[in-house]
Amino acid sequence: MVKFSDGMWLNEDGVLIDWAVEVVNSEILAGGIRCVATSKHITTRGDTTDTPTVTVECSSPATDILLLTGYHWKGERRTTLGPNYEIFPDVEIQSEAAVRSASISTIKKDTSLTITSNSLSATINIQPSSFNIDIISHGVTSPTIVAPGSDHLLTTLGQQSVGYVMKGTNDPKSTFTKPDKGERWFTMQFQLSVGEKIYGLGERFGPFVKNGQSVEIWNEDGGTSSEQAYKNVPFFLSSRGYGIFVPYPGLVSFEVQSERTTRVNIAVPSELLSVYIIQGPSPKDIIQRYTLLTGRPALPPAWSFGLWLSTSFTTEYDETTVNSFLEGMDERDISVDVFHYDCFWQKAFHWCDYIFDEVYFPDPGAQLARLKAQGYHISVWLNPYIAQASEIFAEGATNGYFIRKSDGSVWQTDFWQAGMAIIDFTNPAACEWYQAKLEALIDLGIDCFKTDFAERIPTGDTVYYDGSDPEKMHNYYTFLYNKVTFELLERRLGKNQAIVFARSSTAGGQRFPVHWGGDPMTTFEAMAETLRGGLSLGICGYGYWAHDIGGFEGTPDPALYKRWFAFGSLSSHSRLHGNESYRVPWVIDPSGEADVVLKQFIDLKLSLMPYLYNTAIKTHETGVAMMRPLFVEFPEDPFSWNIDTQYMLGPNLMVVPVFSAEGTVQYYVPNGSWFGVLDGKLRKGPVFVTETHDFFSLPLLLRPGAAIVLRDDVPRGSEGRRHAVYDYSEEVTILVNLAGSATVDLLVEVPDSNNLGSFVASLTIQGDETTGSVKVVTGALKGQWKLKKVKSDGTSDELVAADGVTSLSWTE
């Protein structure tokens, strides 16, 4: 918590703030504007001495994005020292610059200085003692601003809103004798309008709406039941139609109506603070522009959308145990696509040496080959820490591959693994060394690495190979760790075949999926907080996300396990994993009911793969997460901005997890007639609905006027098991909800499971529930395919097309 004020009128003890009060110099730059503001009104020449200044610059790095920078001193080494976030990693910057320059205009008047980027502008008031910056949206209609017209004030930096903060530095003599005494911060404080709500800031498990919260962007291993977060992202989205990203990789403080009740106060311990102001007006627009800045998520392989089964953490296991789990799942016809070995695939006290423990796994190559022959993909756990007992510790220490102290010794700790060191990913040779260890595992048959930890990265007496600032590296370290790991997998396995399973992250880390939600308790409350964390993270461009089904700490009771599995199977990625207990269903629920629940819901997910992988491709292209809050799809609906116990899975399916054993759930249905995919019933919104569901059900609703492609009977592989990968164009059903809808005109695409990222066919659906047609307009569907159309009376009709037929029509 970083607060500088004591109420409205006073500062905290020992705090001095040089606020930008009066612009004394202003100018137009090439592609931007700049002004210099003093911290007091200038009346005489004498006022120009002993008066600190704050410089403010504003430019436009991309259309409808402004970069606002304020700074005090320019020569401080810590201000200029890296690391820095990678900006526009997926963009050919020269072509973007040409587009951007055509949309930029600057103008200076007697009273103001303005830069405009297409529909977004910043205007600085340059009149005496009137410093102010207005951020205005022009010529676009906002779904949330009810005022007339198309020009709206988004936010403003008003009186005492841009300033340089000194804490514990108010001894005048210390300027020359102790120039680094105390703390130095730069702050910007953005006005919040009446009713404006703030979202995002990473994977945060507390209240979904961030208003009233103090948020520190500082990665911690704090579980899911605290204010700390594994994945801190200095980006928020506003219900008023804009977003703000702070490109500072170190500690960033956000006081969201928690210090000044009408402001979001942003502060960094630096002489300089930059923010990207991102125009909407819709949430999707904001997220797409934010991920243009920081990168879009790579497309995960289709096999990764199947069920993952883990050994769990501290359980005892060997090849016999692994085989018994998988054979038990096969006996119950519960399809598993990925098997995961957690920490103890390596020797205790050796994490990590990236070598199988020969006591439990005497011939890992043969074992993995047997699993691969049965159709499984294999994941293993790792972290970037090298225990002192590890067989590779001496090699890393001798060659300078670890983070060091200022005296040149290796930075070590007993926390987690005895005497462990930490790989220095700013050293290119260390990156190659680490990748070589992992490459040997890929050669052995490993498909995926669970990149755990990397939150507890030191800052005290810490020296990096490239001289990076340890404070900034604390959050940024995980970006390098996952990037180096992901790039190896992509190089070895190919594009759209690489995947990690990461716990920690920061801005830009969404480029290296998948991410999972850390270590929740085994309670319904933890299940709900897990969803809040995933939705908050998705707002920050993280497209694919998973969680430990049933919770991690403790053993879930059968009711929680079955409810959580329904939720987990309707997440982008689904994993059974725990701490001290196995997560196979017959261990959790001896009655056998969980066996049947798991089979039903994983079969449901596999049947939805044509729709889910279509959504995955769109997520890769846009940055809009597969699991998204309702307001992303319905920003014009005021209720949608308050919902955090249900979500949209892609644009067309709404999922309502059940957070109780007895199954009673209350949820919100937006406008229109929504079709229950599982129960065949219609719900007509806008309305709040209360229902009771058994363990084999939950509200899974198809959006009005929408269509999805699915397969009723997923084919089995040669080993007799269903998989997430099959031909998504063969024997499909197109389910379209025409209930209460006016005429629809839809384009439905079918993903190509052999050429990931592309589409094998596309169809148009035109008409209403009485008259219409569906036509294959590109590619082809294989075998017999069906159209199931839902009508206003709740019934549905099914039309069947024989192999080779390219269209169906109906008239009633």
Side-chain angles (χ1 to χ4, degrees), residues 8 75 79 241 336 354 435 458 491 569 571 581 592 596 613 618 623 632 642 645 652 677 682 725 772 807:
M8 278 194 63
T79 300
V336 174
Y354 312 113
Q435 287 182 327
R491 185 174 76 240
S569 69
S571 302
S581 59
V596 186
Y613 207 67
K618 301 302 182 184
V632 171
N642 297 304
T645 53
N652 295 334
V677 175
L682 289 175
V725 179
S807 65

mmCIF file with all atom_site columns, all heavy atoms in Angstrom, residues 8 75 79 241 336 354 435 458 491 569 571 581 592 596 613 618 623 632 642 645 652 677 682 725 772 807:
data_model
loop_
_atom_site.group_PDB
_atom_site.id
_atom_site.type_symbol
_atom_site.label_atom_id
_atom_site.label_alt_id
_atom_site.label_comp_id
_atom_site.label_asym_id
_atom_site.label_entity_id
_atom_site.label_seq_id
_atom_site.pdbx_PDB_ins_code
_atom_site.Cartn_x
_atom_site.Cartn_y
_atom_site.Cartn_z
_atom_site.occupancy
_atom_site.B_iso_or_equiv
_atom_site.pdbx_formal_charge
_atom_site.auth_seq_id
_atom_site.auth_comp_id
_atom_site.auth_asym_id
_atom_site.auth_atom_id
_atom_site.pdbx_PDB_model_num
ATOM 1   N N   . MET A 1 8   ? -7.575  14.852  2.744   1.00 0.00 ? 8   MET A N   1
ATOM 2   C CA  . MET A 1 8   ? -7.543  15.691  1.548   1.00 0.00 ? 8   MET A CA  1
ATOM 3   C C   . MET A 1 8   ? -6.526  16.817  1.632   1.00 0.00 ? 8   MET A C   1
ATOM 4   O O   . MET A 1 8   ? -5.998  17.263  0.615   1.00 0.00 ? 8   MET A O   1
ATOM 5   C CB  . MET A 1 8   ? -8.937  16.296  1.297   1.00 0.00 ? 8   MET A CB  1
ATOM 6   C CG  . MET A 1 8   ? -9.895  15.370  0.585   1.00 0.00 ? 8   MET A CG  1
ATOM 7   S SD  . MET A 1 8   ? -11.346 16.262  -0.021  1.00 0.00 ? 8   MET A SD  1
ATOM 8   C CE  . MET A 1 8   ? -10.594 17.393  -1.204  1.00 0.00 ? 8   MET A CE  1
ATOM 9   N N   . GLY A 1 75  ? 18.616  12.115  -15.651 1.00 0.00 ? 75  GLY A N   1
ATOM 10  C CA  . GLY A 1 75  ? 19.936  11.495  -15.612 1.00 0.00 ? 75  GLY A CA  1
ATOM 11  C C   . GLY A 1 75  ? 20.120  10.394  -14.592 1.00 0.00 ? 75  GLY A C   1
ATOM 12  O O   . GLY A 1 75  ? 21.216  9.814   -14.503 1.00 0.00 ? 75  GLY A O   1
ATOM 13  N N   . THR A 1 79  ? 16.491  5.226   -13.418 1.00 0.00 ? 79  THR A N   1
ATOM 14  C CA  . THR A 1 79  ? 15.385  5.535   -14.325 1.00 0.00 ? 79  THR A CA  1
ATOM 15  C C   . THR A 1 79  ? 15.611  4.918   -15.691 1.00 0.00 ? 79  THR A C   1
ATOM 16  O O   . THR A 1 79  ? 14.683  4.419   -16.332 1.00 0.00 ? 79  THR A O   1
ATOM 17  C CB  . THR A 1 79  ? 15.221  7.065   -14.456 1.00 0.00 ? 79  THR A CB  1
ATOM 18  O OG1 . THR A 1 79  ? 14.951  7.605   -13.161 1.00 0.00 ? 79  THR A OG1 1
ATOM 19  C CG2 . THR A 1 79  ? 14.089  7.418   -15.403 1.00 0.00 ? 79  THR A CG2 1
ATOM 20  N N   . GLY A 1 241 ? -14.727 3.066   -20.952 1.00 0.00 ? 241 GLY A N   1
ATOM 21  C CA  . GLY A 1 241 ? -14.340 2.873   -22.341 1.00 0.00 ? 241 GLY A CA  1
ATOM 22  C C   . GLY A 1 241 ? -12.896 3.169   -22.665 1.00 0.00 ? 241 GLY A C   1
ATOM 23  O O   . GLY A 1 241 ? -12.569 3.528   -23.806 1.00 0.00 ? 241 GLY A O   1
ATOM 24  N N   . VAL A 1 336 ? -8.362  -39.153 -21.054 1.00 0.00 ? 336 VAL A N   1
ATOM 25  C CA  . VAL A 1 336 ? -7.218  -38.344 -20.622 1.00 0.00 ? 336 VAL A CA  1
ATOM 26  C C   . VAL A 1 336 ? -6.316  -38.119 -21.829 1.00 0.00 ? 336 VAL A C   1
ATOM 27  O O   . VAL A 1 336 ? -5.982  -39.062 -22.547 1.00 0.00 ? 336 VAL A O   1
ATOM 28  C CB  . VAL A 1 336 ? -6.434  -39.040 -19.491 1.00 0.00 ? 336 VAL A CB  1
ATOM 29  C CG1 . VAL A 1 336 ? -5.171  -38.268 -19.144 1.00 0.00 ? 336 VAL A CG1 1
ATOM 30  C CG2 . VAL A 1 336 ? -7.319  -39.216 -18.264 1.00 0.00 ? 336 VAL A CG2 1
ATOM 31  N N   . TYR A 1 354 ? 16.767  -31.672 -13.609 1.00 0.00 ? 354 TYR A N   1
ATOM 32  C CA  . TYR A 1 354 ? 16.116  -32.066 -14.858 1.00 0.00 ? 354 TYR A CA  1
ATOM 33  C C   . TYR A 1 354 ? 16.460  -33.501 -15.257 1.00 0.00 ? 354 TYR A C   1
ATOM 34  O O   . TYR A 1 354 ? 16.570  -33.835 -16.434 1.00 0.00 ? 354 TYR A O   1
ATOM 35  C CB  . TYR A 1 354 ? 16.465  -31.078 -15.987 1.00 0.00 ? 354 TYR A CB  1
ATOM 36  C CG  . TYR A 1 354 ? 16.296  -29.639 -15.569 1.00 0.00 ? 354 TYR A CG  1
ATOM 37  C CD1 . TYR A 1 354 ? 17.389  -28.774 -15.445 1.00 0.00 ? 354 TYR A CD1 1
ATOM 38  C CD2 . TYR A 1 354 ? 15.036  -29.136 -15.251 1.00 0.00 ? 354 TYR A CD2 1
ATOM 39  C CE1 . TYR A 1 354 ? 17.230  -27.453 -15.032 1.00 0.00 ? 354 TYR A CE1 1
ATOM 40  C CE2 . TYR A 1 354 ? 14.872  -27.817 -14.827 1.00 0.00 ? 354 TYR A CE2 1
ATOM 41  C CZ  . TYR A 1 354 ? 15.969  -26.983 -14.722 1.00 0.00 ? 354 TYR A CZ  1
ATOM 42  O OH  . TYR A 1 354 ? 15.801  -25.683 -14.297 1.00 0.00 ? 354 TYR A OH  1
ATOM 43  N N   . GLN A 1 435 ? 18.289  -24.425 -21.786 1.00 0.00 ? 435 GLN A N   1
ATOM 44  C CA  . GLN A 1 435 ? 17.548  -25.035 -22.879 1.00 0.00 ? 435 GLN A CA  1
ATOM 45  C C   . GLN A 1 435 ? 18.117  -26.398 -23.258 1.00 0.00 ? 435 GLN A C   1
ATOM 46  O O   . GLN A 1 435 ? 17.367  -27.313 -23.628 1.00 0.00 ? 435 GLN A O   1
ATOM 47  C CB  . GLN A 1 435 ? 17.543  -24.102 -24.091 1.00 0.00 ? 435 GLN A CB  1
ATOM 48  C CG  . GLN A 1 435 ? 16.644  -22.884 -23.922 1.00 0.00 ? 435 GLN A CG  1
ATOM 49  C CD  . GLN A 1 435 ? 16.631  -22.007 -25.159 1.00 0.00 ? 435 GLN A CD  1
ATOM 50  O OE1 . GLN A 1 435 ? 17.630  -21.887 -25.882 1.00 0.00 ? 435 GLN A OE1 1
ATOM 51  N NE2 . GLN A 1 435 ? 15.498  -21.369 -25.423 1.00 0.00 ? 435 GLN A NE2 1
ATOM 52  N N   . PRO A 1 458 ? 14.918  -12.457 -5.817  1.00 0.00 ? 458 PRO A N   1
ATOM 53  C CA  . PRO A 1 458 ? 15.545  -11.539 -4.863  1.00 0.00 ? 458 PRO A CA  1
ATOM 54  C C   . PRO A 1 458 ? 15.775  -10.141 -5.421  1.00 0.00 ? 458 PRO A C   1
ATOM 55  O O   . PRO A 1 458 ? 15.895  -9.942  -6.636  1.00 0.00 ? 458 PRO A O   1
ATOM 56  C CB  . PRO A 1 458 ? 16.876  -12.237 -4.563  1.00 0.00 ? 458 PRO A CB  1
ATOM 57  C CG  . PRO A 1 458 ? 17.180  -13.016 -5.796  1.00 0.00 ? 458 PRO A CG  1
ATOM 58  C CD  . PRO A 1 458 ? 15.842  -13.507 -6.279  1.00 0.00 ? 458 PRO A CD  1
ATOM 59  N N   . ARG A 1 491 ? 10.636  -24.125 -31.106 1.00 0.00 ? 491 ARG A N   1
ATOM 60  C CA  . ARG A 1 491 ? 11.686  -24.466 -32.067 1.00 0.00 ? 491 ARG A CA  1
ATOM 61  C C   . ARG A 1 491 ? 11.745  -25.962 -32.319 1.00 0.00 ? 491 ARG A C   1
ATOM 62  O O   . ARG A 1 491 ? 11.900  -26.405 -33.455 1.00 0.00 ? 491 ARG A O   1
ATOM 63  C CB  . ARG A 1 491 ? 13.036  -23.964 -31.542 1.00 0.00 ? 491 ARG A CB  1
ATOM 64  C CG  . ARG A 1 491 ? 14.174  -24.175 -32.534 1.00 0.00 ? 491 ARG A CG  1
ATOM 65  C CD  . ARG A 1 491 ? 15.466  -23.553 -32.052 1.00 0.00 ? 491 ARG A CD  1
ATOM 66  N NE  . ARG A 1 491 ? 16.102  -24.338 -30.996 1.00 0.00 ? 491 ARG A NE  1
ATOM 67  C CZ  . ARG A 1 491 ? 16.356  -23.910 -29.772 1.00 0.00 ? 491 ARG A CZ  1
ATOM 68  N NH1 . ARG A 1 491 ? 16.001  -22.687 -29.416 1.00 0.00 ? 491 ARG A NH1 1
ATOM 69  N NH2 . ARG A 1 491 ? 16.955  -24.691 -28.889 1.00 0.00 ? 491 ARG A NH2 1
ATOM 70  N N   . SER A 1 569 ? -14.034 -28.454 -16.651 1.00 0.00 ? 569 SER A N   1
ATOM 71  C CA  . SER A 1 569 ? -14.153 -28.986 -18.004 1.00 0.00 ? 569 SER A CA  1
ATOM 72  C C   . SER A 1 569 ? -14.628 -27.925 -18.978 1.00 0.00 ? 569 SER A C   1
ATOM 73  O O   . SER A 1 569 ? -14.427 -28.054 -20.190 1.00 0.00 ? 569 SER A O   1
ATOM 74  C CB  . SER A 1 569 ? -15.120 -30.178 -18.023 1.00 0.00 ? 569 SER A CB  1
ATOM 75  O OG  . SER A 1 569 ? -16.447 -29.750 -17.784 1.00 0.00 ? 569 SER A OG  1
ATOM 76  N N   . SER A 1 571 ? -13.573 -24.785 -18.773 1.00 0.00 ? 571 SER A N   1
ATOM 77  C CA  . SER A 1 571 ? -12.506 -23.789 -18.849 1.00 0.00 ? 571 SER A CA  1
ATOM 78  C C   . SER A 1 571 ? -11.698 -24.098 -20.106 1.00 0.00 ? 571 SER A C   1
ATOM 79  O O   . SER A 1 571 ? -11.839 -25.164 -20.692 1.00 0.00 ? 571 SER A O   1
ATOM 80  C CB  . SER A 1 571 ? -11.620 -23.864 -17.607 1.00 0.00 ? 571 SER A CB  1
ATOM 81  O OG  . SER A 1 571 ? -12.380 -23.668 -16.432 1.00 0.00 ? 571 SER A OG  1
ATOM 82  N N   . SER A 1 581 ? -2.870  -35.354 -1.940  1.00 0.00 ? 581 SER A N   1
ATOM 83  C CA  . SER A 1 581 ? -3.772  -36.466 -2.266  1.00 0.00 ? 581 SER A CA  1
ATOM 84  C C   . SER A 1 581 ? -3.926  -36.608 -3.765  1.00 0.00 ? 581 SER A C   1
ATOM 85  O O   . SER A 1 581 ? -3.842  -35.632 -4.510  1.00 0.00 ? 581 SER A O   1
ATOM 86  C CB  . SER A 1 581 ? -5.141  -36.255 -1.610  1.00 0.00 ? 581 SER A CB  1
ATOM 87  O OG  . SER A 1 581 ? -5.730  -35.051 -2.043  1.00 0.00 ? 581 SER A OG  1
ATOM 88  N N   . GLY A 1 592 ? -18.604 -43.903 -6.645  1.00 0.00 ? 592 GLY A N   1
ATOM 89  C CA  . GLY A 1 592 ? -18.570 -44.097 -8.092  1.00 0.00 ? 592 GLY A CA  1
ATOM 90  C C   . GLY A 1 592 ? -19.290 -43.024 -8.881  1.00 0.00 ? 592 GLY A C   1
ATOM 91  O O   . GLY A 1 592 ? -19.167 -42.965 -10.111 1.00 0.00 ? 592 GLY A O   1
ATOM 92  N N   . VAL A 1 596 ? -18.763 -41.060 -13.126 1.00 0.00 ? 596 VAL A N   1
ATOM 93  C CA  . VAL A 1 596 ? -19.744 -40.791 -14.176 1.00 0.00 ? 596 VAL A CA  1
ATOM 94  C C   . VAL A 1 596 ? -19.810 -39.298 -14.497 1.00 0.00 ? 596 VAL A C   1
ATOM 95  O O   . VAL A 1 596 ? -19.938 -38.898 -15.653 1.00 0.00 ? 596 VAL A O   1
ATOM 96  C CB  . VAL A 1 596 ? -21.139 -41.317 -13.771 1.00 0.00 ? 596 VAL A CB  1
ATOM 97  C CG1 . VAL A 1 596 ? -22.125 -41.181 -14.928 1.00 0.00 ? 596 VAL A CG1 1
ATOM 98  C CG2 . VAL A 1 596 ? -21.051 -42.771 -13.330 1.00 0.00 ? 596 VAL A CG2 1
ATOM 99  N N   . TYR A 1 613 ? -12.029 -24.788 -30.364 1.00 0.00 ? 613 TYR A N   1
ATOM 100 C CA  . TYR A 1 613 ? -10.777 -24.472 -31.056 1.00 0.00 ? 613 TYR A CA  1
ATOM 101 C C   . TYR A 1 613 ? -10.958 -23.317 -32.031 1.00 0.00 ? 613 TYR A C   1
ATOM 102 O O   . TYR A 1 613 ? -10.017 -22.552 -32.270 1.00 0.00 ? 613 TYR A O   1
ATOM 103 C CB  . TYR A 1 613 ? -10.202 -25.702 -31.754 1.00 0.00 ? 613 TYR A CB  1
ATOM 104 C CG  . TYR A 1 613 ? -8.688  -25.594 -31.870 1.00 0.00 ? 613 TYR A CG  1
ATOM 105 C CD1 . TYR A 1 613 ? -7.896  -25.632 -30.723 1.00 0.00 ? 613 TYR A CD1 1
ATOM 106 C CD2 . TYR A 1 613 ? -8.060  -25.408 -33.087 1.00 0.00 ? 613 TYR A CD2 1
ATOM 107 C CE1 . TYR A 1 613 ? -6.523  -25.496 -30.800 1.00 0.00 ? 613 TYR A CE1 1
ATOM 108 C CE2 . TYR A 1 613 ? -6.683  -25.269 -33.170 1.00 0.00 ? 613 TYR A CE2 1
ATOM 109 C CZ  . TYR A 1 613 ? -5.915  -25.313 -32.019 1.00 0.00 ? 613 TYR A CZ  1
ATOM 110 O OH  . TYR A 1 613 ? -4.546  -25.162 -32.084 1.00 0.00 ? 613 TYR A OH  1
ATOM 111 N N   . LYS A 1 618 ? -9.490  -17.439 -32.604 1.00 0.00 ? 618 LYS A N   1
ATOM 112 C CA  . LYS A 1 618 ? -9.871  -16.028 -32.522 1.00 0.00 ? 618 LYS A CA  1
ATOM 113 C C   . LYS A 1 618 ? -9.170  -15.350 -31.347 1.00 0.00 ? 618 LYS A C   1
ATOM 114 O O   . LYS A 1 618 ? -8.777  -14.175 -31.440 1.00 0.00 ? 618 LYS A O   1
ATOM 115 C CB  . LYS A 1 618 ? -11.391 -15.899 -32.378 1.00 0.00 ? 618 LYS A CB  1
ATOM 116 C CG  . LYS A 1 618 ? -12.185 -16.523 -33.519 1.00 0.00 ? 618 LYS A CG  1
ATOM 117 C CD  . LYS A 1 618 ? -11.819 -15.945 -34.868 1.00 0.00 ? 618 LYS A CD  1
ATOM 118 C CE  . LYS A 1 618 ? -12.665 -16.546 -35.989 1.00 0.00 ? 618 LYS A CE  1
ATOM 119 N NZ  . LYS A 1 618 ? -12.246 -16.068 -37.325 1.00 0.00 ? 618 LYS A NZ  1
ATOM 120 N N   . GLY A 1 623 ? -6.476  -11.477 -28.883 1.00 0.00 ? 623 GLY A N   1
ATOM 121 C CA  . GLY A 1 623 ? -6.120  -11.280 -27.490 1.00 0.00 ? 623 GLY A CA  1
ATOM 122 C C   . GLY A 1 623 ? -7.293  -11.333 -26.539 1.00 0.00 ? 623 GLY A C   1
ATOM 123 O O   . GLY A 1 623 ? -7.106  -11.273 -25.323 1.00 0.00 ? 623 GLY A O   1
ATOM 124 N N   . VAL A 1 632 ? -17.708 -8.167  -21.472 1.00 0.00 ? 632 VAL A N   1
ATOM 125 C CA  . VAL A 1 632 ? -16.944 -8.154  -22.724 1.00 0.00 ? 632 VAL A CA  1
ATOM 126 C C   . VAL A 1 632 ? -17.885 -8.371  -23.917 1.00 0.00 ? 632 VAL A C   1
ATOM 127 O O   . VAL A 1 632 ? -17.705 -7.785  -24.981 1.00 0.00 ? 632 VAL A O   1
ATOM 128 C CB  . VAL A 1 632 ? -15.831 -9.213  -22.696 1.00 0.00 ? 632 VAL A CB  1
ATOM 129 C CG1 . VAL A 1 632 ? -15.175 -9.368  -24.056 1.00 0.00 ? 632 VAL A CG1 1
ATOM 130 C CG2 . VAL A 1 632 ? -14.787 -8.850  -21.641 1.00 0.00 ? 632 VAL A CG2 1
ATOM 131 N N   . ASN A 1 642 ? -21.233 -6.236  -13.124 1.00 0.00 ? 642 ASN A N   1
ATOM 132 C CA  . ASN A 1 642 ? -21.148 -6.636  -11.720 1.00 0.00 ? 642 ASN A CA  1
ATOM 133 C C   . ASN A 1 642 ? -21.087 -8.152  -11.527 1.00 0.00 ? 642 ASN A C   1
ATOM 134 O O   . ASN A 1 642 ? -21.055 -8.628  -10.388 1.00 0.00 ? 642 ASN A O   1
ATOM 135 C CB  . ASN A 1 642 ? -22.362 -6.088  -10.956 1.00 0.00 ? 642 ASN A CB  1
ATOM 136 C CG  . ASN A 1 642 ? -22.397 -4.576  -10.938 1.00 0.00 ? 642 ASN A CG  1
ATOM 137 O OD1 . ASN A 1 642 ? -21.445 -3.945  -10.504 1.00 0.00 ? 642 ASN A OD1 1
ATOM 138 N ND2 . ASN A 1 642 ? -23.477 -3.987  -11.421 1.00 0.00 ? 642 ASN A ND2 1
ATOM 139 N N   . THR A 1 645 ? -19.578 -14.505 -11.026 1.00 0.00 ? 645 THR A N   1
ATOM 140 C CA  . THR A 1 645 ? -19.784 -15.922 -10.721 1.00 0.00 ? 645 THR A CA  1
ATOM 141 C C   . THR A 1 645 ? -20.266 -16.697 -11.946 1.00 0.00 ? 645 THR A C   1
ATOM 142 O O   . THR A 1 645 ? -20.722 -17.837 -11.820 1.00 0.00 ? 645 THR A O   1
ATOM 143 C CB  . THR A 1 645 ? -20.799 -16.090 -9.576  1.00 0.00 ? 645 THR A CB  1
ATOM 144 O OG1 . THR A 1 645 ? -21.993 -15.367 -9.901  1.00 0.00 ? 645 THR A OG1 1
ATOM 145 C CG2 . THR A 1 645 ? -20.227 -15.576 -8.267  1.00 0.00 ? 645 THR A CG2 1
ATOM 146 N N   . ASN A 1 652 ? -20.320 -17.244 -27.616 1.00 0.00 ? 652 ASN A N   1
ATOM 147 C CA  . ASN A 1 652 ? -21.672 -17.785 -27.771 1.00 0.00 ? 652 ASN A CA  1
ATOM 148 C C   . ASN A 1 652 ? -22.179 -18.669 -26.637 1.00 0.00 ? 652 ASN A C   1
ATOM 149 O O   . ASN A 1 652 ? -23.376 -18.979 -26.611 1.00 0.00 ? 652 ASN A O   1
ATOM 150 C CB  . ASN A 1 652 ? -21.758 -18.576 -29.085 1.00 0.00 ? 652 ASN A CB  1
ATOM 151 C CG  . ASN A 1 652 ? -21.577 -17.692 -30.297 1.00 0.00 ? 652 ASN A CG  1
ATOM 152 O OD1 . ASN A 1 652 ? -21.848 -16.499 -30.255 1.00 0.00 ? 652 ASN A OD1 1
ATOM 153 N ND2 . ASN A 1 652 ? -21.087 -18.274 -31.388 1.00 0.00 ? 652 ASN A ND2 1
ATOM 154 N N   . VAL A 1 677 ? -28.031 -25.897 -23.291 1.00 0.00 ? 677 VAL A N   1
ATOM 155 C CA  . VAL A 1 677 ? -27.428 -26.965 -24.094 1.00 0.00 ? 677 VAL A CA  1
ATOM 156 C C   . VAL A 1 677 ? -27.610 -28.317 -23.417 1.00 0.00 ? 677 VAL A C   1
ATOM 157 O O   . VAL A 1 677 ? -27.792 -29.344 -24.079 1.00 0.00 ? 677 VAL A O   1
ATOM 158 C CB  . VAL A 1 677 ? -25.929 -26.660 -24.336 1.00 0.00 ? 677 VAL A CB  1
ATOM 159 C CG1 . VAL A 1 677 ? -25.251 -27.818 -25.068 1.00 0.00 ? 677 VAL A CG1 1
ATOM 160 C CG2 . VAL A 1 677 ? -25.775 -25.366 -25.134 1.00 0.00 ? 677 VAL A CG2 1
ATOM 161 N N   . LEU A 1 682 ? -35.402 -23.061 -22.456 1.00 0.00 ? 682 LEU A N   1
ATOM 162 C CA  . LEU A 1 682 ? -35.129 -21.665 -22.756 1.00 0.00 ? 682 LEU A CA  1
ATOM 163 C C   . LEU A 1 682 ? -35.217 -20.828 -21.489 1.00 0.00 ? 682 LEU A C   1
ATOM 164 O O   . LEU A 1 682 ? -36.044 -21.078 -20.611 1.00 0.00 ? 682 LEU A O   1
ATOM 165 C CB  . LEU A 1 682 ? -36.127 -21.122 -23.783 1.00 0.00 ? 682 LEU A CB  1
ATOM 166 C CG  . LEU A 1 682 ? -36.004 -21.633 -25.220 1.00 0.00 ? 682 LEU A CG  1
ATOM 167 C CD1 . LEU A 1 682 ? -37.139 -21.079 -26.069 1.00 0.00 ? 682 LEU A CD1 1
ATOM 168 C CD2 . LEU A 1 682 ? -34.654 -21.246 -25.831 1.00 0.00 ? 682 LEU A CD2 1
ATOM 169 N N   . VAL A 1 725 ? -8.223  -34.068 -30.200 1.00 0.00 ? 725 VAL A N   1
ATOM 170 C CA  . VAL A 1 725 ? -7.900  -33.897 -31.611 1.00 0.00 ? 725 VAL A CA  1
ATOM 171 C C   . VAL A 1 725 ? -8.626  -34.966 -32.425 1.00 0.00 ? 725 VAL A C   1
ATOM 172 O O   . VAL A 1 725 ? -8.435  -36.166 -32.199 1.00 0.00 ? 725 VAL A O   1
ATOM 173 C CB  . VAL A 1 725 ? -6.379  -34.003 -31.856 1.00 0.00 ? 725 VAL A CB  1
ATOM 174 C CG1 . VAL A 1 725 ? -6.075  -33.838 -33.338 1.00 0.00 ? 725 VAL A CG1 1
ATOM 175 C CG2 . VAL A 1 725 ? -5.638  -32.943 -31.039 1.00 0.00 ? 725 VAL A CG2 1
ATOM 176 N N   . GLY A 1 772 ? -35.334 -20.366 -43.745 1.00 0.00 ? 772 GLY A N   1
ATOM 177 C CA  . GLY A 1 772 ? -33.916 -20.051 -43.803 1.00 0.00 ? 772 GLY A CA  1
ATOM 178 C C   . GLY A 1 772 ? -33.105 -21.158 -44.438 1.00 0.00 ? 772 GLY A C   1
ATOM 179 O O   . GLY A 1 772 ? -33.645 -22.156 -44.939 1.00 0.00 ? 772 GLY A O   1
ATOM 180 N N   . SER A 1 807 ? -25.854 -27.856 -48.618 1.00 0.00 ? 807 SER A N   1
ATOM 181 C CA  . SER A 1 807 ? -26.805 -26.877 -48.094 1.00 0.00 ? 807 SER A CA  1
ATOM 182 C C   . SER A 1 807 ? -28.044 -27.578 -47.561 1.00 0.00 ? 807 SER A C   1
ATOM 183 O O   . SER A 1 807 ? -28.372 -28.699 -47.965 1.00 0.00 ? 807 SER A O   1
ATOM 184 C CB  . SER A 1 807 ? -27.200 -25.864 -49.167 1.00 0.00 ? 807 SER A CB  1
ATOM 185 O OG  . SER A 1 807 ? -27.912 -26.492 -50.213 1.00 0.00 ? 807 SER A OG  1
#
